[in-house]
């Protein structure tokens, strides 16, 4: 049977009954009543509490660890150190992960795990940690990525040589990779330019700051099976990576997912989960570990700090002729920043012929970075959009018209080699131009910023199944995670296919044993990809119902069609038969023929790229440097909004996360290399009184590769934010900031240096 | 370590608990009574996910010791609905999508209910400042504020 991978049967004229409405999400009632179970909410009989001892040093040789006093404390059932983890080769993915989860030869950042205990209570576990004696030989450390690239900088990994550099390298380095991306001829492009603009920009790490710290319970049996309950953006990835570093067959590890209290990319890889598994194996009891907020800040996330030097040129009629960049991405103590996204996405949305970028990924003595919505893109777009606005001003064009003149369209080729199919950037820009916000007169003293953003949108391997109950209702199951409401969106697509009310459908999230592999729930891939497999499963079930009806009626299967939730004879020539609803066929045949179901696994392709435009009005206090966001509008192409309220929520949440990153959020290190603000008091994410309502415009340029035309919407809303806020501040005070976050002290300094400070 | 015996009322039910002296009310609710609707986000009073009512006062349960709950009456998210009838705040959060991941939702509902008891007709600004101690990372707050405003209007009988 042809799957939708070959033909989505997308029909722009289809009259939709469920898709595009806003039903209450089925996981909602449990979440407003306290019944929903998150990572920390699991309790098992006999369960122990695990705690992790962490390095107070940024860089040190781990000389010895003495756990004897901790082991002797009553109530302590197990202690684990590096000796309990198989030694995997340094510099391999498994070797890096293992060393990040439990330090081996050295500690590489403040907070790096060095030992763990499991005890009968949290307070005993805390006391036991204090009894562990660790001998360190402190080494010089390096925090700043550019300093880490200099000759003579402290070296984190003696095995490291730079990938992407020709010739032999005799000495170790902190530069993991040097990546060149180019198309056309930038020299020629700049020669053709009437205006050339350039700037240097920098950003600090921000943390994903999900409100739910990582929590898990691991339970190992004496025959080597491990059951793991945790909050995760990828059950199968957790299973396979834990199996890899503990040298356990994946089939012996069963990972179940809790509700997830925010992830934003930060829960795509394990931290405490393998430690809980080791402690459970050693104690033969279930072990729960819940990270504290301090641990979350010091040891998980954050995003890459960056330095960028960008140059662009355009003609006097507003055509961009060349774009060039030198980029540095800090990845923390281990590689894995996905920094290639930066050079691939930074200019993509403008149709450019000449691009040249050099990007380096650099290790330093900070926690290994993790994914965050559009990893490594927003902090680079921050600089690009400053220059785009500057060019528009030089040319004397309207900000949106300048971007429209250069906007990428179907058929344009990107620097990463993709040729765009149908995309909606032009429509998104035109919609932005029509908003009340853009047409409104800017109040005296305010500034207005415009920025655009792009994300590839991901797809990849995905599994799902659908079963019709004998009573005619529908259960669906997927192996992906639900980070913000995918279960209801998937239920809606199943309901639309089967012609039943969405209340007849219930979605559940599988564990690793119930479903085949799924790529992590990340990159705005899940509603798209899991939607594909659920629609495919529904179409299999429909085909089966048609076969059964044909059998009951004694007609060829070609004579049966499925319309509006029932099988009908496809024409009067087939015969006179009363239509049979799903419930009737299920009731008649579930016992004789087995359940009516569909099951699909596929490596989903065809995710349609997403584009957004952000409009920001701000006011800058010239006495304090504080920036007040007065008005915000997000305009973005969703392809098709399955559940518009949820799509709006993605736009609004992404924008406000970006506002926090733009104005306030950063990791602050002391001279000693220790993180000084590992808590929500000193690392301040936006609170309700900091921000205005966020207006949204959902543009719908369908992606024909999907049965309902949708595109992912989770990453794009963060990509333009930093640039939009920066441009608004620049418009308000006449100086475009170049350093993130644009916090009051930095803005005050800009104002003072320009003589604009009112104090 | 010797434990302390306390008697406390939670959502109208009386409980006797043996708690360690360094256990917070949040720990007691979750680890001893398994009322896990109250969430732990920071344990430093900065995120509001553990908001509960203690004798009618809104508090972060991570900043209250379990032993201090002796003789007190505690209200948590598990007691907000009236049987199978949701509170108007709960219903409006569902209908207007005032929650995404849902981890901050119990604390926000507890805090918002307290606001509406004190001020049945709050302005947007008053709601934003009242909820400034309840962090949400998913929504950007827009739909949370709208849900509270809609519930307030409904509860005023409009």
């Amino acid at each position: 049977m042809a799957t939708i991978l070959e033909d989505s049967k997308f029909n722009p004229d289809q009259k939709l009954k469920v898709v595009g409405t806003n039903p209450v999400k089925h996981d909602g009632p449990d979440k407003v009543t306290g019944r929903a179970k998150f990572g920390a909410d699991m309790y098992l009989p006999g369960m122990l509490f695990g705690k992790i001892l962490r390095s107070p040093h940024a860089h040190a040789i781990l000389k010895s660890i003495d756990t004897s006093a901790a082991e002797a404390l009553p109530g302590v059932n197990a202690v684990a150190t590096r000796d309990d983890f198989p030694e995997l080769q340094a510099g391999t993915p498994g070797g890096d992960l293992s060393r990040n989860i439990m330090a081996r030869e050295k500690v590489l950042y403040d907070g790096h795990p060095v030992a763990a205990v499991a005890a009968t209570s949290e307070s005993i576990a805390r006391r036991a940690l204090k009894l562990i004696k660790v001998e360190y030989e402190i080494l010089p450390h390096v925090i700043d990525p550019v300093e880490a690239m200099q000759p003579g900088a402290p070296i984190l990994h003696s095995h490291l040589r730079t990938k992407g550099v020709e010739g032999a390298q005799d000495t170790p380095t902190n530069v993991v990779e040097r990546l060149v991306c180019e198309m056309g001829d930038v020299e020629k492009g700049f020669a053709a330019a009437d205006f050339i603009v350039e700037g240097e920009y920098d950003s600090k790490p921000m943390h994903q700051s999900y409100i739910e710290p990582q929590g898990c319970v691991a339970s190992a049996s004496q025959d080597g099976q491990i059951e793991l309950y945790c909050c995760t953006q990828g059950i199968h990835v957790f299973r396979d990576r834990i199996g890899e570093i503990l040298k356990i067959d994946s089939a012996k590890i069963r990972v179940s997912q809790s509700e997830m209290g925010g992830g934003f990319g930060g829960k795509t890889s394990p931290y405490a989960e393998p430690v809980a598994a080791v402690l459970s194996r050693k104690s033969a009891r279930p072990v729960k570990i819940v990270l504290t907020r301090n641990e979350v800040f010091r040891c998980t996330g954050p995003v890459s700090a960056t330095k960028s030097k960008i140059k662009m040129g355009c003609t006097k009629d507003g055509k961009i002729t060349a774009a060039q960049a030198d980029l540095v991405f800090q990845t923390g103590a281990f590689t894995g920043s996905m920094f290639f996204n930066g050079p691939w996405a930074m200019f993509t949305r403008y149709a450019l012929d000449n691009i040249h970028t050099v990007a380096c990924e650099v290790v330093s003595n900070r926690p290994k970075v993790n994914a965050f919505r559009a990893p490594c893109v927003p902090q680079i777009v921050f600089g690009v959009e400053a220059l785009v606005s500057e060019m528009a001003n030089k040319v004397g064009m309207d900000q949106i018209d300048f971007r429209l003149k250069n906007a990428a369209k179907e058929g344009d080729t990107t620097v990463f080699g993709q040729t765009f199919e149908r995309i909606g950037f032009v429509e998104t820009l035109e919609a932005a131009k029509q908003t009340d916000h853009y047409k409104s007169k800017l109040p005296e003293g305010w500034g207005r910023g415009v920025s655009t953003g792009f994300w590839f949108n991901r797809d990849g391997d995905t599994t799902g199944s659908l079963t019709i109950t004998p009573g005619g209702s529908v259960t669906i199951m997927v192996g992906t995670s639900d980070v913000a409401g995918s279960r209801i969106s998937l239920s809606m697509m199943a309901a639309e296919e089967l012609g039943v009310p969405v209340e007849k459908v219930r979605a559940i999230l599988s564990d690793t044993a119930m479903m085949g592999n799924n790529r992590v729930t990340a990159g705005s891939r899940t509603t798209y990809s899991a939607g594909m497999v659920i629609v495919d499963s529904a179409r299999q079930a429909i085909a089966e119902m048609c076969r059964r009806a044909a059998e009951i009626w004694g007609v060829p299967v070609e004579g049966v069609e499925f319309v509006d939730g029932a099988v009908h004879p496809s024409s009067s020539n087939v015969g006179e038969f009363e239509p049979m609803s799903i419930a009737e066929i299920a009731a008649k045949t579930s016992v004789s023929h087995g359940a009516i179901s569909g099951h699909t696994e596929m490596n989903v392709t065809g995710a349609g790229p997403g584009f957004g435009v952000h409009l920001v009005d701000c006011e800058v206090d010239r006495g304090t440097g504080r920036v007040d966001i007065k008005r915000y509008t997000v305009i973005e192409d969703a392809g098709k909004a399955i559940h518009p309220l949820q799509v709006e929520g993605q736009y609004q949440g992404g924008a406000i996360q970006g506002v926090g990153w733009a104005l306030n959020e950063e990791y602050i290190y002391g001279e000693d290399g220790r993180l000084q603000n590992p808590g929500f008091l000193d690392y301040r994410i936006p609170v309700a009184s900091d921000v205005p309502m966020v207006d949204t415009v959902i543009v719908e340029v369908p992606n024909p590769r999907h049965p309902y035309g949708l595109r992912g919407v989770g990453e794009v809303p963060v990509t333009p934010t930093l640039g939009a806020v920066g441009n608004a501040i620049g418009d308000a005070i006449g100086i475009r900031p170049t350093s993130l976050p644009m916090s009051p002290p930095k803005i005050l300094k800009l104002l003072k240096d320009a003589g604009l400070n009112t104090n | 370590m010797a434990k302390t015996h306390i008697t406390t009322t939670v959502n109208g039910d009386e409980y006797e608990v043996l708690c360690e002296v360094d256990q917070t009310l949040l720990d007691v609710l979750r680890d001893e009574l398994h009322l896990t609707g109250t969430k732990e986000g920071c344990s430093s009073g900065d995120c509001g996910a553990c908001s509960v009512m203690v004798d009618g006062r809104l508090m972060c349960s991570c900043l209250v010791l379990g032993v201090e709950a002796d003789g007190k009456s505690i209200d948590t998210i598990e007691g907000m609905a009236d049987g199978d009838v949701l509170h108007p705040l709960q219903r409006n959060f569902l209908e207007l999508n005032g929650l995404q991941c849902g981890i901050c939702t119990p604390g926000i509902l507890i805090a918002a209910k307290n606001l509406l008891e004190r001020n049945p007709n709050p302005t947007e600004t008053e709601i934003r400042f009242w909820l400034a101690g309840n962090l949400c990372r998913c929504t950007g707050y827009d739909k949370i504020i709208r849900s509270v405003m809609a519930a307030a209007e409904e509860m005023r009988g409009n």
Side-chain angles (χ1 to χ4, degrees):
Chain A
M1 188 175 67
T3 69
I4 53 172
L5 198 60
E6 291 150 39
D7 177 11
S8 74
K9 299 198 176 106
F10 170 70
N11 172 10
D13 301 323
Q14 184 181 354
K15 288 234 178 315
L16 299 169
K17 292 180 177 155
V18 184
V19 166
T21 64
N22 289 303
V24 167
K25 55 185 182 185
H26 298 159
D27 48 307
D30 279 357
K31 289 177 172 170
V32 298
T33 54
R35 287 167 52 90
K37 292 279 178 271
F38 291 82
D41 297 339
M42 170 67 86
Y43 292 80
L44 291 177
M47 189 181 83
L48 303 173
F49 294 86
K51 284 272 168 201
I52 296 174
L53 183 68
R54 296 176 183 276
S55 165
H57 305 297
H59 196 193
I61 295 170
L62 200 45
K63 294 189 74 173
S64 67
I65 306 171
D66 179 357
T67 60
S68 53
E71 282 166 50
L73 185 72
V76 171
N77 280 245
V79 181
T81 67
R82 57 192 174 184
D83 298 336
D84 298 292
F85 288 78
E87 180 163 3
L88 303 175
Q89 192 189 335
T92 61
D96 279 357
L97 178 64
S98 172
R99 281 168 179 78
N100 192 39
I101 278 159
M102 190 60 74
R104 184 163 286 277
E105 301 85 2
K106 294 203 289 187
V107 291
L108 294 163
Y109 55 92
D110 165 39
H112 201 158
V114 293
V117 302
T120 50
S121 79
E122 263 195 280
S123 97
I124 294 173
R126 275 194 297 266
R127 271 180 281 151
L129 290 188
K130 291 183 184 158
L131 298 175
I132 298 174
K133 294 187 190 73
V134 184
E135 196 186 345
Y136 297 100
E137 181 183 326
I138 297 173
L139 299 170
H141 63 269
V142 60
I143 298 293
D144 182 82
V146 173
E147 284 172 27
M149 296 171 77
Q150 305 309 313
I155 292 292
L156 273 74
H157 304 287
S158 58
H159 59 80
L160 196 64
R161 302 292 184 276
T162 307
K163 192 174 148 194
V165 174
E166 283 177 25
Q169 301 167 62
D170 299 331
T171 51
T173 171
N174 291 322
V175 182
V176 180
E177 185 174 355
R178 182 176 183 276
L179 176 71
V180 177
C181 300
E182 55 191 332
M183 62 193 287
D185 180 342
V186 278
E187 293 312 320
K188 233 165 80 182
F190 282 119
D194 296 304
F195 300 105
I196 290 177
V197 293
E198 52 194 318
E200 292 187 30
Y201 307 88
D202 67 85
S203 73
K204 295 286 199 304
M206 62 89 83
H207 195 277
Q208 292 80 353
S209 292
Y210 32 80
I211 305 301
E212 179 205 26
Q214 275 88 344
C216 66
V217 179
S219 183
S221 66
Q222 279 79 353
D223 66 345
Q225 316 259 1
I226 291 176
E227 291 191 359
L228 176 66
Y229 171 89
C230 60
C231 54
T232 168
Q233 288 180 247
I235 49 173
H236 298 97
V237 171
F238 271 43
R239 177 195 67 185
D240 295 340
R241 300 231 64 195
I242 291 169
E244 179 186 0
I245 64 167
L246 298 183
K247 295 196 171 173
I248 301 172
D249 289 340
S250 283
K252 286 188 174 173
I253 305 172
R254 186 170 180 183
V255 179
S256 321
Q257 50 188 323
S258 68
E259 292 293 343
M260 189 165 33
F264 315 115
K267 290 174 180 169
T268 50
S269 51
Y271 294 99
E273 297 81 3
V275 179
V278 167
L279 289 169
S280 177
R281 223 162 38 174
K282 291 191 82 171
S283 63
R285 306 253 300 257
V287 174
K288 176 179 194 167
I289 300 182
V290 180
L291 298 188
T292 64
R293 181 57 54 182
N294 176 293
E295 292 179 297
V296 169
F297 275 115
R298 284 166 69 205
C299 322
T300 74
V303 314
S304 288
T306 58
K307 303 261 183 189
S308 46
K309 194 172 168 183
I310 310 170
K311 181 175 162 184
M312 299 178 81
C314 70
T315 60
K316 52 179 186 271
D317 63 347
K319 179 74 190 142
I320 302 173
T321 56
Q324 189 174 27
D326 281 306
L327 310 170
V328 175
F329 296 86
Q330 172 268 130
T331 182
F334 298 96
T335 181
S337 63
M338 295 181 274
F339 74 109
F340 50 85
N341 287 328
W344 286 3
M346 65 187 293
F347 301 117
T348 300
R349 71 207 168 277
Y350 301 121
L352 303 184
D353 296 326
N354 306 302
I355 294 177
H356 188 274
T357 64
V358 179
C360 290
E361 188 196 48
V362 182
V363 290
S364 67
N365 294 112
R366 304 190 195 195
K368 180 200 167 299
V369 306
N370 209 336
F372 172 67
R373 300 172 85 159
C376 292
V377 176
Q379 61 270 57
I380 303 300
V381 169
F382 170 69
V384 173
E385 287 292 316
L387 297 180
V388 171
S389 283
E390 194 181 334
M391 284 189 287
N393 289 337
K394 281 192 189 296
V395 170
M397 275 177 84
D398 171 82
Q399 289 290 337
I400 292 182
D401 286 341
F402 182 84
R403 288 166 170 87
L404 268 169
K405 188 175 177 83
N406 292 286
K409 301 177 188 71
E410 185 174 355
D412 286 337
T413 301
T414 66
V415 74
F416 52 94
Q418 181 181 1
T419 300
F420 282 133
E421 297 180 21
R422 184 75 172 93
I423 54 171
F425 188 40
V426 167
E427 288 82 351
T428 306
L429 283 163
E430 281 168 349
K433 214 174 164 187
Q434 294 309 314
T435 55
D436 287 344
H437 186 166
Y438 199 67
K439 289 181 188 167
S440 71
K441 190 173 177 312
L442 193 65
E444 184 67 27
W446 292 14
R448 177 166 293 166
V450 176
S451 174
T452 66
F454 152 84
W455 178 250
F456 316 88
N457 286 330
R458 301 301 188 194
D459 34 35
D461 52 328
T462 310
T463 56
S465 68
L466 176 149
T467 303
I468 294 170
T469 70
S473 57
V474 181
T475 60
I476 60 178
M477 186 194 289
V478 286
T480 47
S481 305
D482 184 348
V483 292
S486 57
R487 273 168 290 185
I488 187 66
S489 300
L490 299 175
S491 297
M492 291 168 73
M493 285 185 258
E496 191 74 60
E497 288 291 318
L498 294 168
V500 298
V502 71
E503 279 314 305
K504 290 271 186 196
V505 186
R506 277 295 181 276
I508 69 159
L509 307 174
S510 81
D511 66 33
T512 50
M514 296 170 176
M515 280 282 160
N517 263 23
N518 280 266
R519 191 175 169 180
V520 284
T521 285
S524 297
R525 79 171 208 89
T526 296
T527 305
Y528 176 80
S529 305
M532 292 281 248
V533 302
I534 288 302
V535 169
D536 194 58
S537 297
R539 290 179 184 177
Q540 290 175 27
I542 288 168
E544 176 62 17
M545 285 188 279
C546 289
R547 275 193 293 274
R548 292 186 188 185
E551 188 185 313
I552 290 167
W553 292 335
V555 302
V557 70
E558 296 76 26
V560 179
E561 65 179 8
F562 186 87
V563 184
D564 287 340
V567 285
H568 302 253
S570 55
S571 76
S572 54
N573 295 336
V574 175
E576 289 295 318
F577 301 104
E578 280 298 302
M580 278 191 291
S581 69
I582 289 175
E584 287 168 313
I585 303 176
K588 277 201 172 86
T589 66
S590 284
V591 172
S592 56
H593 292 65
I596 300 163
S597 62
H599 173 83
T600 303
E601 50 265 312
M602 59 168 91
N603 186 7
V604 178
T605 59
F611 297 85
V613 181
H614 286 200
L615 307 175
V616 182
D617 292 355
C618 78
E619 190 172 25
V620 179
D621 185 321
R622 288 168 189 243
T624 63
R626 183 181 192 276
V627 175
D628 200 10
I629 304 294
K630 308 297 285 187
R631 187 169 184 182
Y632 207 118
T633 305
V634 177
I635 306 98
E636 184 181 325
D637 178 17
K640 173 70 191 173
I642 303 297
H643 189 295
L645 275 180
Q646 295 208 126
V647 172
E648 289 175 13
Q650 288 295 310
Y651 293 3
Q652 293 165 333
I656 296 306
Q657 288 181 339
V659 166
W661 194 358
L663 295 182
N664 199 49
E665 296 177 37
E666 65 178 311
Y667 268 35
I668 299 169
Y669 283 89
E671 288 293 310
D672 57 1
R674 300 193 66 184
L675 183 62
Q676 294 185 330
N677 58 336
F680 278 138
L681 187 62
D682 297 316
Y683 181 100
R684 194 169 176 283
I685 69 172
V687 304
S689 55
D690 290 337
V691 291
M693 295 293 190
V694 177
D695 294 330
T696 56
V697 178
I698 300 174
V699 178
E700 293 186 325
V701 177
N703 168 16
R705 300 284 292 270
H706 186 277
Y708 295 104
L710 78 87
R711 302 170 191 271
V713 295
E715 327 287 297
V716 173
V718 187
T719 56
T721 314
L722 311 177
V725 174
N727 287 346
I729 296 171
D731 190 45
I733 66 172
I735 311 157
R736 176 36 158 96
T738 57
S739 178
L740 288 165
M742 297 173 281
S743 53
K746 284 194 197 156
I747 299 298
L748 196 57
K749 184 168 185 315
L750 290 180
L751 289 167
K752 278 185 174 163
D753 290 351
L756 297 168
N757 170 230
T758 54
N759 280 346
Chain B
M1 205 188 298
K3 292 188 175 184
T4 304
H5 175 266
I6 64 166
T7 305
T8 184
T9 303
V10 183
N11 302 325
D13 294 326
E14 190 175 285
Y15 292 92
E16 292 187 51
V17 189
L18 285 177
C19 57
E20 297 186 57
V21 290
D22 63 352
Q23 266 183 312
T24 63
L25 173 58
L26 174 62
D27 293 337
V28 170
L29 289 170
R30 293 178 54 83
D31 294 343
E32 307 302 328
L33 303 182
H34 291 185
L35 290 170
T36 55
T38 304
K39 302 302 181 190
E40 177 171 1
C42 70
S43 274
S44 54
D46 297 313
C47 81
C50 66
S51 299
V52 298
M53 301 303 293
V54 179
D55 279 353
R57 283 187 62 194
L58 179 62
M59 291 189 180
C60 286
S61 60
C62 73
L63 298 182
V64 179
L65 287 172
V67 291
E68 292 180 281
D70 189 31
K72 299 277 202 310
S73 178
I74 317 293
D75 291 308
T76 73
I77 187 65
E78 286 91 346
M80 186 176 276
D82 181 7
D84 62 358
V85 179
L86 295 177
H87 187 278
L89 274 164
Q90 293 172 310
R91 195 157 28 71
N92 278 284
F93 269 67
L94 290 176
E95 287 170 1
L96 301 179
N97 226 48
L99 66 148
Q100 284 184 26
C101 80
I103 193 81
C104 70
T105 310
I108 285 183
L109 288 170
I110 291 283
K113 179 165 178 274
N114 187 230
L115 168 66
L116 299 188
E117 284 160 3
R118 298 160 67 114
N119 177 0
N121 191 11
T123 63
E124 180 195 330
T125 302
E126 285 170 333
I127 297 171
R128 286 187 178 277
F129 275 87
W130 186 267
L131 293 180
N134 292 83
L135 300 180
C136 167
R137 192 59 155 173
C138 292
T139 64
Y141 300 105
D142 183 299
K143 296 193 191 309
I144 290 175
I145 306 299
R146 290 181 199 280
S147 301
V148 176
M149 291 170 86
E153 187 176 342
E154 183 186 321
M155 288 166 71
R156 288 196 305 274
N158 293 338

